[in-house]
Amino acid sequence: FGKNDPFLAEKLVVGQDLSVSSILDARFTSLFINWNPRAISSLTSIAERFNTMMESDSSRDAHGVFIVTNPSQLARRRRPSEDSTTNKRVKKAKESTVLVNAEIEGFHVNLNSARDDLPLFCGVLASTQLSLVLRGEKEKRLNLLVGDLRLTTPSLGRTTSNYRTILGLATGKATSLLSVQYFEGDNAIAASGGKDLTDCESFGEIVLSPMRLVYVQAQILALVEYSTAGILGTLTAQAASNAVQAAADLAASSSSKRVFSVSATNLELLLPHAAYKAEYFSSRVGSASVAFTALPDSSAEVEVLLDDFVVSDSNGESLLQAPVRMDVSVGMPPETKSSKHDQAIVVNISTSK
């Protein structure tokens, strides 16, 4: 479509003069899901029975009979020259560059009670943009921007309105919740602008905006039980198992180091005395950063920095004499170490005011 390298462009917007062979542009306005455990369990059971039926039917192909009413409908046998031409097309497709742009304005999920179908928790994902560039099998670039991600409880019961948003953006602090950038391959790494990326196979960066988490014991326990029990718990456990296996396979196949960094500002944890009381304790971190480096020998290094950590109450009185700074470094040795002493994980923690 153009001449500009998509790995060097600041923004991957359709309409730019980008050197890509194909473009997929998708836009979604809004999507609503009302999740009822019993209904989802019934749908899952129907899908499993259907898959079982399809697998049993496919196993009969070896003993079945193929009847053709019109012999001319049979696909003619490919010649060797046609096979070589097809292989060339497949090889060319693997080397092509593909641009995927996706945008969703709103995604709403209501986690309803299985007993009376009333909403227990409401999740909202808004103003999300995704851009992905694929070149062959080794070059990738991913840009993800999440405008807002909120988890709330409905306006029922005695919970104070200030505590109904369990997780979300801090009020009036930012316009986007997080941004994610991921680069894989030599060209993508060179265009990422990261530091100390020599001999690096992939690089990922996550930036979190100011956000607040409200911890009400009853709400958190109910959310954990909803997420781990029943059909949602089964699906969550299966997805987590697949993610762990994929991460293990990715780490095992790595021949170079992988670097990931996470940075955040103004993270707040609110601890109310009760869900219906105005008094609370607040823990706030001015800035936080995490740097994770996975090395080819299966070892890893983690650096964590927490700065300007303060604890206060609802009256604004600080419970610490001065803000605290904390540095944490973790060293995880490779699996090839023979002795248990060499396999130990080394953790260093230092604090200062």
Side-chain angles (χ1 to χ4, degrees):
F1 287 89
K3 299 181 180 181
N4 295 331
D5 191 344
F7 291 100
L8 301 178
E10 294 184 1
K11 294 183 179 181
L12 302 175
V13 180
V14 174
Q16 287 186 342
D17 192 20
L18 300 178
S19 176
V20 295
S21 56
S22 57
I23 297 176
L24 174 61
D25 188 25
R27 178 175 296 179
F28 305 90
T29 55
S30 60
L31 177 64
F32 294 86
I33 296 179
N34 288 309
W35 183 283
N36 183 287
R38 291 183 178 179
I40 299 300
S41 179
S42 300
L43 292 176
T44 305
S45 178
I46 294 174
E48 290 178 352
R49 291 199 301 269
F50 180 77
N51 291 334
T52 302
M53 181 186 66
M54 294 299 295
E55 291 177 357
S56 62
D57 289 343
S58 62
S59 63
R60 301 174 186 173
D61 292 345
H63 307 286
V65 178
F66 183 46
I67 300 176
V68 180
T69 58
N70 187 359
S72 62
Q73 294 178 356
L74 289 175
R76 61 188 181 91
R77 185 176 301 175
R78 288 181 177 178
R79 298 177 181 178
S81 60
E82 293 177 345
D83 293 337
S84 61
T85 303
T86 303
N87 294 334
K88 290 180 181 179
R89 290 177 180 175
V90 172
K91 183 177 181 181
K92 184 177 180 180
K94 290 183 178 180
E95 297 175 353
S96 62
T97 303
V98 179
L99 171 61
V100 179
N101 278 332
E103 181 179 355
I104 183 169
E105 295 181 4
F107 177 64
H108 305 261
V109 179
N110 290 335
L111 301 180
N112 298 339
S113 171
R115 179 177 301 177
D116 50 21
D117 201 33
L118 292 176
L120 297 177
F121 301 97
C122 304
V124 177
L125 179 66
S127 304
T128 300
Q129 299 176 355
L130 170 69
S131 297
L132 175 64
V133 176
L134 300 174
R135 177 180 294 168
E137 298 180 354
K138 297 182 178 180
E139 295 285 346
K140 299 181 181 68
R141 175 183 173 180
L142 169 68
N143 289 358
L144 174 64
L145 179 64
V146 178
D148 191 10
L149 175 64
R150 285 180 285 118
L151 181 63
T152 63
T153 57
S155 56
L156 301 173
R158 302 171 59 188
T159 304
T160 305
S161 59
N162 191 35
Y163 306 147
R164 296 194 187 280
T165 301
I166 301 177
L167 177 66
L169 274 172
T171 304
K173 295 290 185 179
T175 58
S176 62
L177 182 69
L178 66 88
S179 63
V180 179
Q181 295 187 83
Y182 178 76
F183 306 88
E184 182 174 336
D186 295 337
N187 293 331
I189 292 295
S192 65
K195 299 179 180 179
D196 300 329
L197 298 180
T198 306
D199 299 329
C200 184
E201 181 177 344
S202 61
F203 170 65
E205 183 180 19
I206 300 176
V207 179
L208 292 171
S209 298
M211 55 191 305
R212 190 184 73 161
L213 172 65
V214 178
Y215 186 91
V216 176
Q217 184 78 356
Q219 291 180 350
I220 299 300
L221 290 180
L223 180 60
V224 170
E225 182 180 2
Y226 197 102
S227 303
T228 56
I231 183 63
L232 183 58
T234 303
L235 298 177
T236 302
Q238 183 178 1
S241 177
N242 295 337
V244 171
Q245 183 62 38
D249 296 340
L250 185 65
S253 61
S254 177
S255 58
S256 302
K257 69 178 182 180
R258 298 173 179 268
V259 179
F260 301 93
S261 68
V262 180
S263 60
T265 57
N266 293 329
L267 301 179
E268 183 182 10
L269 173 63
L270 210 63
L271 301 172
H273 292 190
Y276 51 86
K277 292 185 177 181
E279 295 79 15
Y280 59 83
F281 293 107
S282 173
S283 300
R284 183 174 300 173
V285 177
S287 62
S289 62
V290 179
F292 176 82
T293 303
L295 301 176
D297 59 354
S298 72
S299 63
E301 300 174 355
V302 183
E303 298 288 339
V304 180
L305 173 61
L306 301 177
D307 196 12
D308 196 17
F309 174 74
V310 295
V311 180
S312 60
D313 59 11
S314 53
N315 296 323
E317 297 183 3
S318 178
L319 303 182
L320 299 176
Q321 293 182 352
V324 177
R325 174 188 174 96
M326 179 181 297
D327 294 298
V328 181
S329 62
V330 181
M332 293 178 284
E335 299 177 354
T336 55
K337 296 294 183 179
S338 56
S339 65
K340 293 184 178 181
H341 182 270
D342 294 335
Q343 293 178 358
I345 297 177
V346 180
V347 180
N348 295 320
I349 301 177
S350 63
T351 60
S352 60
K353 296 182 180 180

